[in-house]
Amino acid sequence: MSKFWSPIVSRLTPYTPGEQPKISKLVKLNTNENPYGPSPKAIAAMAQEIGDNLRLYPNPDAEPLKLAIAKRHGLSPSQVFVGNGSDEVLAHAFQALLKHGAPILFPDITYSFYPTYASLYEVEYRAVPLAEDFTIRVDDYLGQGEAIGGIIFPNPNAPTGCLLALDEVERLLAGNPDRVVIVDEAYIDFGGDSAIDLVTRHPNLLVVQTLSKSRSLAGLRVGFAVGHADLISALERVKNSFNSYPLDRIAIAGATAAMEDDAHFDRTRNAVIASRSKLADELASLGFEVLPSAANFVFARHPQHDAAGLAASLRGDGIIVRHFTSARINQFLRITVGTDEACGALTDSLRKHLA
Ligand SMILES: *Cc1c(COP(=O)(O)O)cnc(C)c1O
């Protein structure tokens, strides 16, 4: 606290990202990074971009990247917005599309950045409890008209990994025609059907995705949103009142090449999906309850062992996972799906601890 701080800064509770430890030997299964490297074509495109051209500003609209995303989904570039990580895209969306002077809705257990953006932009919210089995109950989000400011949720949800089926997403959209519904699909490539296919039918839908997870580019900071051109213009208006060049030349080149490399994308995500199913089976055989995951992590609890104790024991073996302390989920561990070798180190360590 300082007398120089504005009142809003004094009231903020900033988001706490998962730890990025300095020690490189750790088995790092705490922040849902992809264990496989980015597309070699993306790396080559970025290397190519490093030169005299860096004295010039990048394309303010990141046109090649918007085109690549639009092409992949059969859309027009006017239906695509890009930003410095999907976190930035989400932040702009709170300001541009969710702030209507009425509380927005999101699940009680969800991405913990949402309440942070809500406080930054002074948007009220109501946390809607997930069902007992940690799934989203669409009925709880229906019939509230303009008494709510909008709806946002991740699909698959984080940190549960649970997927809401596309027909249920559509029921939620159809039940809220006068408010924007944001579907945060950070993990959709690991096991669900994207709502991008619903964008043409539902002008109130904004789908947000990231290159951080399924494209292995967390370090590059690129995310995007897809929706009706009117929603995209709102985001552009905020972006152009904030930073004209959120993506640098290297990011535009690398992200464009990554979006165009289907072979690498399919190979790496299929490897993660295969490892996830092995990891879930192994954990179940150790007595864990594992929520069904459509993401690149699993969310699991052991009926007889305290989650904080398990996390500490893993850390003793150089393995880090994420443990959240909020009430309904404080007995769960969120474990990123690593390589089979990393997952094996995790299950070996747990087996030793449980014995
Ligand atoms: C990882 C994650 C993001 C943020 O991704 P970046 O593009 O790296 O900013 C957004 N939403 C959810 C639910 C995530 O898990």
Side-chain angles (χ1 to χ4, degrees), residues 45-333:
M46 291 188 275
Q48 187 80 41
E49 199 57 34
I50 296 173
D52 279 350
N53 269 356
L54 287 178
R55 72 189 178 79
L56 301 172
Y57 281 106
N59 182 321
D61 292 317
E63 271 160 319
L65 176 57
K66 283 189 180 178
L67 268 172
I69 294 165
K71 188 161 162 242
R72 177 173 177 83
H73 296 290
L75 301 165
S76 126
S78 66
Q79 294 170 287
V80 180
F81 177 80
V82 298
N84 193 258
S86 62
D87 285 338
E88 184 183 82
V89 176
L90 292 166
H92 288 339
F94 266 71
Q95 164 116 299
L97 300 169
L98 297 182
K99 187 171 178 171
H100 291 283
I104 63 166
L105 306 183
F106 51 74
D108 62 337
I109 295 161
T110 197
Y111 190 36
S112 47
F113 233 130
Y114 302 159
T116 298
Y117 293 136
S119 71
L120 177 61
Y121 294 114
E122 304 186 286
V123 175
E124 275 180 80
Y125 65 88
R126 218 161 61 227
V128 181
L130 294 176
E132 205 54 37
D133 64 355
F134 297 100
T135 55
I136 289 175
R137 279 184 302 232
V138 167
D139 287 341
D140 295 348
Y141 293 80
L142 301 180
Q144 312 199 44
E146 293 184 6
I148 59 165
I151 296 169
I152 182 167
F153 63 95
N155 197 34
N157 196 9
T160 63
C162 298
L163 183 74
L164 186 65
L166 201 54
D167 56 343
E168 284 289 278
V169 174
E170 186 153 31
R171 201 158 71 80
L172 195 152
L173 287 165
N176 289 278
D178 299 318
R179 286 302 192 214
V180 170
V181 175
I182 300 178
V183 185
D184 177 358
E185 295 189 336
Y187 302 104
I188 197 73
D189 294 327
F190 298 107
D193 293 323
S194 172
I196 289 180
D197 290 344
L198 306 178
V199 151
T200 318
R201 284 211 296 285
H202 296 278
N204 60 328
L205 167 62
L206 190 78
V207 181
V208 177
Q209 291 195 359
T210 176
L211 277 71
S212 296
K213 278 92 182 213
S214 58
R215 304 269 172 182
S216 304
L217 285 169
L220 199 63
R221 311 305 304 129
V222 183
F224 62 92
V226 170
H228 190 283
D230 288 349
L231 304 188
I232 301 305
S233 315
L235 296 172
E236 297 290 354
R237 288 168 73 93
V238 170
K239 171 246 176 193
N240 289 321
S241 307
F242 176 79
N243 178 3
S244 307
Y245 307 105
L247 294 195
D248 60 63
R249 284 178 169 271
I250 298 166
I252 295 171
T256 305
M259 287 308 296
E260 290 170 346
D261 191 348
D262 288 339
H264 182 83
F265 172 67
D266 286 333
R267 195 162 51 243
T268 49
R269 71 171 169 159
N270 288 335
V272 170
I273 291 167
S275 299
R276 176 181 71 210
S277 114
K278 276 186 242 171
L279 174 61
D281 289 350
E282 278 285 307
L283 289 170
S285 77
L286 292 173
F288 281 86
E289 176 197 349
V290 186
L291 298 190
S293 171
N296 69 337
F297 57 84
V298 296
F299 204 50
R301 68 179 156 195
H302 199 288
Q304 283 100 37
H305 293 267
D306 177 61
L310 290 172
S313 153
L314 284 166
R315 178 174 282 270
D317 282 343
I319 299 162
I320 47 177
V321 299
R322 192 94 194 248
H323 173 233
F324 297 94
T325 51
S326 56
R328 282 183 82 184
I329 56 170
N330 62 11
Q331 285 310 311
F332 281 87
L333 297 176

